[in-house]
Amino acid sequence: MLEQLELLEKEALVALEALEDSDALDAWYKQVLGKKGTLTLMLRSVGELPREERPAFGRASNELKTKLEAAFEARAKSLRQADMVRELERGALDVTLPGRPIGPGHLHITTQTLRQIYAIFAEMGFQVYEAPEVDTDELNFGLLNMPPHHPARDMWDTFWISDEVLLRTHTSPGQIRAMREFCPEPIRVILPGKCYRYEHITARSEHQFYQVEGLAVGHGITMTDLIGTLTEFARRFYGPDRRIRIRGSYFPFTEPSIEVDMDCILCDGEGCRVCKGSGWLEIAGAGMVHPVVLQNGGYDPDEWSGFAFGPGVERPAMLKYRIDDIRLFYGNDLRFLRQF
Ligand SMILES: [Zn+2]
């Protein structure tokens, strides 16, 4: 029996050394030291031996068990080490490889559109005037001829921060800020920036969007100046042959108020799906600055007059590039953004 133990020891140690990875360790353990392993079975068979051989065999097999267990632990440790080394080598960085180039980014389509609009109006003498996105009820509504409880306030679903403070629903509070800053000088500014409305998000409306509006205040400014300015804008932005028309409208801060339409750029006025068969596309709301607003800005409406207009930012881009879903602008999908 003792020879069998010796044989088992030799075989088991050779097999252990031959294992190639830690996955094979378990199988070895099961085979030798497990419940039905060779050594375990031999230990159990001690009762079959003649009585005088039992102590020597018992001692020898227990010693072998301890020895094999120690060998197993040592082997397991070295295999784990080898696994780790292999893993590291597989994922190793080759520092001599050339880096992957990072392509230059480009401006977002909204920024590009805004800059085109800035450039067009800059050539007509308008400067950019930036105003805060968080503003007061007074500037966003009250001073724009919408006192508390004025029904026109319902046109703008508002994110309120407190009873007095809100996220601006339009860029128009900048009109009051600009007038108060420049008064009593004449003004030509465009007011760009983000606006917020508590709105359901659809293909046509987002709760966050850009607006850009223009404001001119001076002596003897008339509706003709407004129409001329917007015609010039339409021709420079959408193409030299564009025609515009105006319709009566209502905004609390302009009087009279108009909607400005341009002949459809897709069908040249013939009528198509985009213009809903009318041949015209709405491109801006506009009007002559309301006397109350002029007054709130510090200008005497008997001496001064002015016009204001808001062509939007995403909408011109949507028309120009035939984008049919405003949600694409801020979805951060590079497949969309890289096209512009
Ligand atoms: Zn059309």
Side-chain angles (χ1 to χ4, degrees), residues 270-306:
E270 295 289 316
C272 69
R273 201 170 54 88
V274 174
C275 59
K276 299 196 182 84
S278 70
W280 296 94
L281 295 165
E282 197 180 306
I283 58 162
M288 302 306 291
V289 181
H290 197 287
V292 169
V293 176
L294 279 175
Q295 209 152 26
N296 289 338
Y299 293 86
D300 179 355
D302 291 332
E303 283 182 36
W304 297 83
S305 59

PDB file of all heavy atoms in Angstrom, residues 270-306:
ATOM      1  N   GLU A 270     -44.956  77.697 -55.645  1.00  0.00           N
ATOM      2  CA  GLU A 270     -45.939  76.875 -56.363  1.00  0.00           C
ATOM      3  C   GLU A 270     -46.903  76.159 -55.401  1.00  0.00           C
ATOM      4  O   GLU A 270     -48.020  75.833 -55.754  1.00  0.00           O
ATOM      5  CB  GLU A 270     -45.214  75.798 -57.198  1.00  0.00           C
ATOM      6  CG  GLU A 270     -44.355  76.353 -58.327  1.00  0.00           C
ATOM      7  CD  GLU A 270     -45.201  76.918 -59.457  1.00  0.00           C
ATOM      8  OE1 GLU A 270     -46.187  76.251 -59.831  1.00  0.00           O
ATOM      9  OE2 GLU A 270     -44.892  78.032 -59.924  1.00  0.00           O
ATOM     10  N   GLY A 271     -46.411  75.894 -54.203  1.00  0.00           N
ATOM     11  CA  GLY A 271     -47.219  75.141 -53.232  1.00  0.00           C
ATOM     12  C   GLY A 271     -46.662  73.733 -53.092  1.00  0.00           C
ATOM     13  O   GLY A 271     -46.512  73.018 -54.084  1.00  0.00           O
ATOM     14  N   CYS A 272     -46.301  73.355 -51.855  1.00  0.00           N
ATOM     15  CA  CYS A 272     -45.763  72.015 -51.633  1.00  0.00           C
ATOM     16  C   CYS A 272     -46.127  71.578 -50.213  1.00  0.00           C
ATOM     17  O   CYS A 272     -46.843  72.278 -49.502  1.00  0.00           O
ATOM     18  CB  CYS A 272     -44.247  71.992 -51.843  1.00  0.00           C
ATOM     19  SG  CYS A 272     -43.323  72.880 -50.589  1.00  0.00           S
ATOM     20  N   ARG A 273     -45.610  70.410 -49.819  1.00  0.00           N
ATOM     21  CA  ARG A 273     -45.961  69.856 -48.521  1.00  0.00           C
ATOM     22  C   ARG A 273     -45.459  70.761 -47.382  1.00  0.00           C
ATOM     23  O   ARG A 273     -46.139  70.980 -46.393  1.00  0.00           O
ATOM     24  CB  ARG A 273     -45.330  68.470 -48.392  1.00  0.00           C
ATOM     25  CG  ARG A 273     -45.966  67.551 -47.379  1.00  0.00           C
ATOM     26  CD  ARG A 273     -45.413  66.146 -47.533  1.00  0.00           C
ATOM     27  NE  ARG A 273     -43.939  66.154 -47.467  1.00  0.00           N
ATOM     28  CZ  ARG A 273     -43.256  66.066 -46.339  1.00  0.00           C
ATOM     29  NH1 ARG A 273     -43.878  65.962 -45.196  1.00  0.00           N
ATOM     30  NH2 ARG A 273     -41.934  66.082 -46.353  1.00  0.00           N
ATOM     31  N   VAL A 274     -44.233  71.291 -47.557  1.00  0.00           N
ATOM     32  CA  VAL A 274     -43.624  72.089 -46.488  1.00  0.00           C
ATOM     33  C   VAL A 274     -44.401  73.388 -46.245  1.00  0.00           C
ATOM     34  O   VAL A 274     -44.650  73.780 -45.117  1.00  0.00           O
ATOM     35  CB  VAL A 274     -42.140  72.376 -46.808  1.00  0.00           C
ATOM     36  CG1 VAL A 274     -41.541  73.332 -45.781  1.00  0.00           C
ATOM     37  CG2 VAL A 274     -41.352  71.069 -46.815  1.00  0.00           C
ATOM     38  N   CYS A 275     -44.835  74.027 -47.334  1.00  0.00           N
ATOM     39  CA  CYS A 275     -45.589  75.275 -47.168  1.00  0.00           C
ATOM     40  C   CYS A 275     -47.091  74.993 -47.114  1.00  0.00           C
ATOM     41  O   CYS A 275     -47.893  75.920 -47.180  1.00  0.00           O
ATOM     42  CB  CYS A 275     -45.247  76.261 -48.271  1.00  0.00           C
ATOM     43  SG  CYS A 275     -45.585  75.648 -49.926  1.00  0.00           S
ATOM     44  N   LYS A 276     -47.419  73.740 -46.992  1.00  0.00           N
ATOM     45  CA  LYS A 276     -48.818  73.290 -46.926  1.00  0.00           C
ATOM     46  C   LYS A 276     -49.638  73.835 -48.097  1.00  0.00           C
ATOM     47  O   LYS A 276     -50.786  74.263 -47.941  1.00  0.00           O
ATOM     48  CB  LYS A 276     -49.456  73.703 -45.604  1.00  0.00           C
ATOM     49  CG  LYS A 276     -48.741  73.097 -44.412  1.00  0.00           C
ATOM     50  CD  LYS A 276     -49.574  73.183 -43.152  1.00  0.00           C
ATOM     51  CE  LYS A 276     -48.842  72.610 -41.957  1.00  0.00           C
ATOM     52  NZ  LYS A 276     -47.922  73.598 -41.321  1.00  0.00           N
ATOM     53  N   GLY A 277     -49.010  73.870 -49.253  1.00  0.00           N
ATOM     54  CA  GLY A 277     -49.721  74.246 -50.469  1.00  0.00           C
ATOM     55  C   GLY A 277     -49.920  75.743 -50.662  1.00  0.00           C
ATOM     56  O   GLY A 277     -50.421  76.180 -51.687  1.00  0.00           O
ATOM     57  N   SER A 278     -49.501  76.554 -49.652  1.00  0.00           N
ATOM     58  CA  SER A 278     -49.787  77.988 -49.750  1.00  0.00           C
ATOM     59  C   SER A 278     -48.751  78.725 -50.595  1.00  0.00           C
ATOM     60  O   SER A 278     -49.006  79.825 -51.084  1.00  0.00           O
ATOM     61  CB  SER A 278     -49.807  78.603 -48.356  1.00  0.00           C
ATOM     62  OG  SER A 278     -48.485  78.629 -47.833  1.00  0.00           O
ATOM     63  N   GLY A 279     -47.561  78.147 -50.734  1.00  0.00           N
ATOM     64  CA  GLY A 279     -46.498  78.847 -51.452  1.00  0.00           C
ATOM     65  C   GLY A 279     -45.725  79.828 -50.581  1.00  0.00           C
ATOM     66  O   GLY A 279     -44.772  80.455 -51.033  1.00  0.00           O
ATOM     67  N   TRP A 280     -46.130  79.965 -49.301  1.00  0.00           N
ATOM     68  CA  TRP A 280     -45.464  80.916 -48.399  1.00  0.00           C
ATOM     69  C   TRP A 280     -45.024  80.233 -47.110  1.00  0.00           C
ATOM     70  O   TRP A 280     -45.690  79.325 -46.622  1.00  0.00           O
ATOM     71  CB  TRP A 280     -46.412  82.066 -48.055  1.00  0.00           C
ATOM     72  CG  TRP A 280     -46.789  82.898 -49.233  1.00  0.00           C
ATOM     73  CD1 TRP A 280     -47.887  82.742 -50.023  1.00  0.00           C
ATOM     74  CD2 TRP A 280     -46.052  83.998 -49.780  1.00  0.00           C
ATOM     75  NE1 TRP A 280     -47.888  83.675 -51.025  1.00  0.00           N
ATOM     76  CE2 TRP A 280     -46.772  84.472 -50.895  1.00  0.00           C
ATOM     77  CE3 TRP A 280     -44.849  84.641 -49.423  1.00  0.00           C
ATOM     78  CZ2 TRP A 280     -46.333  85.542 -51.671  1.00  0.00           C
ATOM     79  CZ3 TRP A 280     -44.427  85.720 -50.189  1.00  0.00           C
ATOM     80  CH2 TRP A 280     -45.158  86.160 -51.305  1.00  0.00           C
ATOM     81  N   LEU A 281     -43.905  80.701 -46.576  1.00  0.00           N
ATOM     82  CA  LEU A 281     -43.406  80.193 -45.299  1.00  0.00           C
ATOM     83  C   LEU A 281     -43.271  81.359 -44.325  1.00  0.00           C
ATOM     84  O   LEU A 281     -42.746  82.418 -44.685  1.00  0.00           O
ATOM     85  CB  LEU A 281     -42.014  79.572 -45.484  1.00  0.00           C
ATOM     86  CG  LEU A 281     -41.933  78.329 -46.360  1.00  0.00           C
ATOM     87  CD1 LEU A 281     -40.480  78.070 -46.725  1.00  0.00           C
ATOM     88  CD2 LEU A 281     -42.526  77.136 -45.629  1.00  0.00           C
ATOM     89  N   GLU A 282     -43.710  81.138 -43.092  1.00  0.00           N
ATOM     90  CA  GLU A 282     -43.586  82.182 -42.085  1.00  0.00           C
ATOM     91  C   GLU A 282     -42.124  82.258 -41.654  1.00  0.00           C
ATOM     92  O   GLU A 282     -41.534  81.242 -41.298  1.00  0.00           O
ATOM     93  CB  GLU A 282     -44.453  81.742 -40.912  1.00  0.00           C
ATOM     94  CG  GLU A 282     -44.787  82.811 -39.937  1.00  0.00           C
ATOM     95  CD  GLU A 282     -45.665  82.227 -38.829  1.00  0.00           C
ATOM     96  OE1 GLU A 282     -46.704  81.620 -39.152  1.00  0.00           O
ATOM     97  OE2 GLU A 282     -45.268  82.360 -37.668  1.00  0.00           O
ATOM     98  N   ILE A 283     -41.533  83.442 -41.707  1.00  0.00           N
ATOM     99  CA  ILE A 283     -40.124  83.517 -41.300  1.00  0.00           C
ATOM    100  C   ILE A 283     -39.865  84.391 -40.075  1.00  0.00           C
ATOM    101  O   ILE A 283     -38.803  84.303 -39.469  1.00  0.00           O
ATOM    102  CB  ILE A 283     -39.181  83.961 -42.450  1.00  0.00           C
ATOM    103  CG1 ILE A 283     -39.592  85.326 -42.999  1.00  0.00           C
ATOM    104  CG2 ILE A 283     -39.146  82.906 -43.554  1.00  0.00           C
ATOM    105  CD1 ILE A 283     -38.467  85.994 -43.793  1.00  0.00           C
ATOM    106  N   ALA A 284     -40.816  85.238 -39.708  1.00  0.00           N
ATOM    107  CA  ALA A 284     -40.569  86.064 -38.519  1.00  0.00           C
ATOM    108  C   ALA A 284     -41.852  86.741 -38.049  1.00  0.00           C
ATOM    109  O   ALA A 284     -42.745  87.022 -38.839  1.00  0.00           O
ATOM    110  CB  ALA A 284     -39.523  87.148 -38.821  1.00  0.00           C
ATOM    111  N   GLY A 285     -41.896  86.950 -36.725  1.00  0.00           N
ATOM    112  CA  GLY A 285     -42.902  87.850 -36.176  1.00  0.00           C
ATOM    113  C   GLY A 285     -42.223  89.207 -36.027  1.00  0.00           C
ATOM    114  O   GLY A 285     -41.013  89.266 -35.784  1.00  0.00           O
ATOM    115  N   ALA A 286     -42.961  90.275 -36.168  1.00  0.00           N
ATOM    116  CA  ALA A 286     -42.312  91.590 -36.122  1.00  0.00           C
ATOM    117  C   ALA A 286     -43.349  92.678 -35.828  1.00  0.00           C
ATOM    118  O   ALA A 286     -44.541  92.391 -35.674  1.00  0.00           O
ATOM    119  CB  ALA A 286     -41.611  91.884 -37.452  1.00  0.00           C
ATOM    120  N   GLY A 287     -42.901  93.913 -35.764  1.00  0.00           N
ATOM    121  CA  GLY A 287     -43.834  95.017 -35.567  1.00  0.00           C
ATOM    122  C   GLY A 287     -43.107  96.284 -35.159  1.00  0.00           C
ATOM    123  O   GLY A 287     -41.885  96.289 -34.976  1.00  0.00           O
ATOM    124  N   MET A 288     -43.877  97.344 -35.023  1.00  0.00           N
ATOM    125  CA  MET A 288     -43.319  98.600 -34.534  1.00  0.00           C
ATOM    126  C   MET A 288     -43.359  98.555 -33.003  1.00  0.00           C
ATOM    127  O   MET A 288     -44.364  98.141 -32.416  1.00  0.00           O
ATOM    128  CB  MET A 288     -44.158  99.777 -35.038  1.00  0.00           C
ATOM    129  CG  MET A 288     -44.262  99.862 -36.557  1.00  0.00           C
ATOM    130  SD  MET A 288     -42.642  99.877 -37.388  1.00  0.00           S
ATOM    131  CE  MET A 288     -41.999 101.476 -36.897  1.00  0.00           C
ATOM    132  N   VAL A 289     -42.272  98.966 -32.389  1.00  0.00           N
ATOM    133  CA  VAL A 289     -42.182  98.891 -30.928  1.00  0.00           C
ATOM    134  C   VAL A 289     -43.353  99.667 -30.295  1.00  0.00           C
ATOM    135  O   VAL A 289     -43.622 100.807 -30.646  1.00  0.00           O
ATOM    136  CB  VAL A 289     -40.836  99.459 -30.422  1.00  0.00           C
ATOM    137  CG1 VAL A 289     -40.753  99.349 -28.897  1.00  0.00           C
ATOM    138  CG2 VAL A 289     -39.671  98.720 -31.070  1.00  0.00           C
ATOM    139  N   HIS A 290     -44.045  99.009 -29.388  1.00  0.00           N
ATOM    140  CA  HIS A 290     -45.219  99.599 -28.738  1.00  0.00           C
ATOM    141  C   HIS A 290     -44.795 100.845 -27.942  1.00  0.00           C
ATOM    142  O   HIS A 290     -43.757 100.830 -27.264  1.00  0.00           O
ATOM    143  CB  HIS A 290     -45.839  98.565 -27.793  1.00  0.00           C
ATOM    144  CG  HIS A 290     -47.238  98.900 -27.385  1.00  0.00           C
ATOM    145  ND1 HIS A 290     -47.529  99.909 -26.510  1.00  0.00           N
ATOM    146  CD2 HIS A 290     -48.432  98.358 -27.745  1.00  0.00           C
ATOM    147  CE1 HIS A 290     -48.843  99.974 -26.342  1.00  0.00           C
ATOM    148  NE2 HIS A 290     -49.414  99.036 -27.090  1.00  0.00           N
ATOM    149  N   PRO A 291     -45.586 101.906 -28.013  1.00  0.00           N
ATOM    150  CA  PRO A 291     -45.215 103.133 -27.283  1.00  0.00           C
ATOM    151  C   PRO A 291     -44.938 102.882 -25.798  1.00  0.00           C
ATOM    152  O   PRO A 291     -44.032 103.502 -25.224  1.00  0.00           O
ATOM    153  CB  PRO A 291     -46.438 104.040 -27.466  1.00  0.00           C
ATOM    154  CG  PRO A 291     -47.144 103.521 -28.670  1.00  0.00           C
ATOM    155  CD  PRO A 291     -46.815 102.067 -28.804  1.00  0.00           C
ATOM    156  N   VAL A 292     -45.703 101.998 -25.192  1.00  0.00           N
ATOM    157  CA  VAL A 292     -45.496 101.722 -23.764  1.00  0.00           C
ATOM    158  C   VAL A 292     -44.114 101.102 -23.536  1.00  0.00           C
ATOM    159  O   VAL A 292     -43.412 101.415 -22.575  1.00  0.00           O
ATOM    160  CB  VAL A 292     -46.609 100.770 -23.239  1.00  0.00           C
ATOM    161  CG1 VAL A 292     -46.264 100.256 -21.844  1.00  0.00           C
ATOM    162  CG2 VAL A 292     -47.955 101.475 -23.244  1.00  0.00           C
ATOM    163  N   VAL A 293     -43.697 100.246 -24.471  1.00  0.00           N
ATOM    164  CA  VAL A 293     -42.385  99.600 -24.342  1.00  0.00           C
ATOM    165  C   VAL A 293     -41.275 100.637 -24.534  1.00  0.00           C
ATOM    166  O   VAL A 293     -40.287 100.660 -23.789  1.00  0.00           O
ATOM    167  CB  VAL A 293     -42.258  98.437 -25.351  1.00  0.00           C
ATOM    168  CG1 VAL A 293     -40.863  97.821 -25.295  1.00  0.00           C
ATOM    169  CG2 VAL A 293     -43.321  97.371 -25.073  1.00  0.00           C
ATOM    170  N   LEU A 294     -41.470 101.534 -25.516  1.00  0.00           N
ATOM    171  CA  LEU A 294     -40.480 102.603 -25.716  1.00  0.00           C
ATOM    172  C   LEU A 294     -40.323 103.427 -24.446  1.00  0.00           C
ATOM    173  O   LEU A 294     -39.210 103.704 -23.992  1.00  0.00           O
ATOM    174  CB  LEU A 294     -40.929 103.528 -26.851  1.00  0.00           C
ATOM    175  CG  LEU A 294     -40.652 103.081 -28.291  1.00  0.00           C
ATOM    176  CD1 LEU A 294     -41.280 104.069 -29.268  1.00  0.00           C
ATOM    177  CD2 LEU A 294     -39.150 102.964 -28.551  1.00  0.00           C
ATOM    178  N   GLN A 295     -41.467 103.746 -23.875  1.00  0.00           N
ATOM    179  CA  GLN A 295     -41.467 104.544 -22.659  1.00  0.00           C
ATOM    180  C   GLN A 295     -40.753 103.801 -21.516  1.00  0.00           C
ATOM    181  O   GLN A 295     -39.953 104.388 -20.800  1.00  0.00           O
ATOM    182  CB  GLN A 295     -42.913 104.810 -22.248  1.00  0.00           C
ATOM    183  CG  GLN A 295     -43.117 106.088 -21.507  1.00  0.00           C
ATOM    184  CD  GLN A 295     -44.536 106.622 -21.745  1.00  0.00           C
ATOM    185  OE1 GLN A 295     -45.470 105.857 -22.027  1.00  0.00           O
ATOM    186  NE2 GLN A 295     -44.690 107.929 -21.645  1.00  0.00           N
ATOM    187  N   ASN A 296     -41.061 102.520 -21.375  1.00  0.00           N
ATOM    188  CA  ASN A 296     -40.419 101.725 -20.319  1.00  0.00           C
ATOM    189  C   ASN A 296     -38.906 101.633 -20.533  1.00  0.00           C
ATOM    190  O   ASN A 296     -38.148 101.432 -19.587  1.00  0.00           O
ATOM    191  CB  ASN A 296     -41.010 100.313 -20.271  1.00  0.00           C
ATOM    192  CG  ASN A 296     -42.427 100.311 -19.741  1.00  0.00           C
ATOM    193  OD1 ASN A 296     -42.842 101.248 -19.048  1.00  0.00           O
ATOM    194  ND2 ASN A 296     -43.187  99.274 -20.066  1.00  0.00           N
ATOM    195  N   GLY A 297     -38.482 101.763 -21.795  1.00  0.00           N
ATOM    196  CA  GLY A 297     -37.045 101.746 -22.075  1.00  0.00           C
ATOM    197  C   GLY A 297     -36.408 103.116 -21.910  1.00  0.00           C
ATOM    198  O   GLY A 297     -35.187 103.249 -22.025  1.00  0.00           O
ATOM    199  N   GLY A 298     -37.226 104.151 -21.680  1.00  0.00           N
ATOM    200  CA  GLY A 298     -36.688 105.484 -21.451  1.00  0.00           C
ATOM    201  C   GLY A 298     -36.845 106.430 -22.627  1.00  0.00           C
ATOM    202  O   GLY A 298     -36.362 107.565 -22.580  1.00  0.00           O
ATOM    203  N   TYR A 299     -37.486 105.978 -23.698  1.00  0.00           N
ATOM    204  CA  TYR A 299     -37.628 106.830 -24.883  1.00  0.00           C
ATOM    205  C   TYR A 299     -39.033 107.438 -24.938  1.00  0.00           C
ATOM    206  O   TYR A 299     -40.012 106.737 -24.685  1.00  0.00           O
ATOM    207  CB  TYR A 299     -37.377 106.026 -26.153  1.00  0.00           C
ATOM    208  CG  TYR A 299     -35.942 105.564 -26.297  1.00  0.00           C
ATOM    209  CD1 TYR A 299     -35.519 104.378 -25.707  1.00  0.00           C
ATOM    210  CD2 TYR A 299     -35.020 106.311 -27.023  1.00  0.00           C
ATOM    211  CE1 TYR A 299     -34.208 103.954 -25.823  1.00  0.00           C
ATOM    212  CE2 TYR A 299     -33.701 105.898 -27.149  1.00  0.00           C
ATOM    213  CZ  TYR A 299     -33.294 104.707 -26.549  1.00  0.00           C
ATOM    214  OH  TYR A 299     -32.003 104.297 -26.665  1.00  0.00           O
ATOM    215  N   ASP A 300     -39.107 108.696 -25.299  1.00  0.00           N
ATOM    216  CA  ASP A 300     -40.402 109.362 -25.442  1.00  0.00           C
ATOM    217  C   ASP A 300     -41.031 108.939 -26.775  1.00  0.00           C
ATOM    218  O   ASP A 300     -40.490 109.254 -27.838  1.00  0.00           O
ATOM    219  CB  ASP A 300     -40.175 110.890 -25.411  1.00  0.00           C
ATOM    220  CG  ASP A 300     -41.494 111.641 -25.591  1.00  0.00           C
ATOM    221  OD1 ASP A 300     -42.539 110.997 -25.835  1.00  0.00           O
ATOM    222  OD2 ASP A 300     -41.452 112.887 -25.492  1.00  0.00           O
ATOM    223  N   PRO A 301     -42.175 108.239 -26.729  1.00  0.00           N
ATOM    224  CA  PRO A 301     -42.766 107.727 -27.974  1.00  0.00           C
ATOM    225  C   PRO A 301     -43.238 108.830 -28.921  1.00  0.00           C
ATOM    226  O   PRO A 301     -43.466 108.562 -30.105  1.00  0.00           O
ATOM    227  CB  PRO A 301     -43.948 106.868 -27.492  1.00  0.00           C
ATOM    228  CG  PRO A 301     -44.155 107.190 -26.073  1.00  0.00           C
ATOM    229  CD  PRO A 301     -42.907 107.818 -25.529  1.00  0.00           C
ATOM    230  N   ASP A 302     -43.346 110.046 -28.421  1.00  0.00           N
ATOM    231  CA  ASP A 302     -43.715 111.133 -29.327  1.00  0.00           C
ATOM    232  C   ASP A 302     -42.530 111.556 -30.200  1.00  0.00           C
ATOM    233  O   ASP A 302     -42.695 112.130 -31.260  1.00  0.00           O
ATOM    234  CB  ASP A 302     -44.221 112.353 -28.531  1.00  0.00           C
ATOM    235  CG  ASP A 302     -45.577 112.049 -27.884  1.00  0.00           C
ATOM    236  OD1 ASP A 302     -46.313 111.200 -28.452  1.00  0.00           O
ATOM    237  OD2 ASP A 302     -45.864 112.632 -26.826  1.00  0.00           O
ATOM    238  N   GLU A 303     -41.343 111.265 -29.734  1.00  0.00           N
ATOM    239  CA  GLU A 303     -40.155 111.666 -30.491  1.00  0.00           C
ATOM    240  C   GLU A 303     -39.463 110.483 -31.159  1.00  0.00           C
ATOM    241  O   GLU A 303     -38.775 110.645 -32.160  1.00  0.00           O
ATOM    242  CB  GLU A 303     -39.148 112.328 -29.547  1.00  0.00           C
ATOM    243  CG  GLU A 303     -39.496 113.749 -29.183  1.00  0.00           C
ATOM    244  CD  GLU A 303     -38.411 114.343 -28.277  1.00  0.00           C
ATOM    245  OE1 GLU A 303     -37.226 114.022 -28.479  1.00  0.00           O
ATOM    246  OE2 GLU A 303     -38.783 115.093 -27.358  1.00  0.00           O
ATOM    247  N   TRP A 304     -39.613 109.320 -30.539  1.00  0.00           N
ATOM    248  CA  TRP A 304     -38.872 108.154 -31.015  1.00  0.00           C
ATOM    249  C   TRP A 304     -39.833 107.094 -31.537  1.00  0.00           C
ATOM    250  O   TRP A 304     -40.973 107.001 -31.110  1.00  0.00           O
ATOM    251  CB  TRP A 304     -38.054 107.523 -29.882  1.00  0.00           C
ATOM    252  CG  TRP A 304     -36.999 108.422 -29.324  1.00  0.00           C
ATOM    253  CD1 TRP A 304     -37.169 109.393 -28.382  1.00  0.00           C
ATOM    254  CD2 TRP A 304     -35.620 108.457 -29.688  1.00  0.00           C
ATOM    255  NE1 TRP A 304     -35.985 110.024 -28.114  1.00  0.00           N
ATOM    256  CE2 TRP A 304     -35.004 109.463 -28.906  1.00  0.00           C
ATOM    257  CE3 TRP A 304     -34.823 107.731 -30.578  1.00  0.00           C
ATOM    258  CZ2 TRP A 304     -33.650 109.749 -28.999  1.00  0.00           C
ATOM    259  CZ3 TRP A 304     -33.482 108.013 -30.667  1.00  0.00           C
ATOM    260  CH2 TRP A 304     -32.894 109.024 -29.892  1.00  0.00           C
ATOM    261  N   SER A 305     -39.325 106.307 -32.456  1.00  0.00           N
ATOM    262  CA  SER A 305     -40.087 105.134 -32.881  1.00  0.00           C
ATOM    263  C   SER A 305     -39.073 104.023 -33.146  1.00  0.00           C
ATOM    264  O   SER A 305     -37.860 104.271 -33.168  1.00  0.00           O
ATOM    265  CB  SER A 305     -40.909 105.436 -34.132  1.00  0.00           C
ATOM    266  OG  SER A 305     -40.056 105.851 -35.184  1.00  0.00           O
ATOM    267  N   GLY A 306     -39.604 102.829 -33.353  1.00  0.00           N
ATOM    268  CA  GLY A 306     -38.665 101.725 -33.575  1.00  0.00           C
ATOM    269  C   GLY A 306     -39.380 100.497 -34.087  1.00  0.00           C
ATOM    270  O   GLY A 306     -40.607 100.441 -34.110  1.00  0.00           O
TER     271      GLY A 306
END
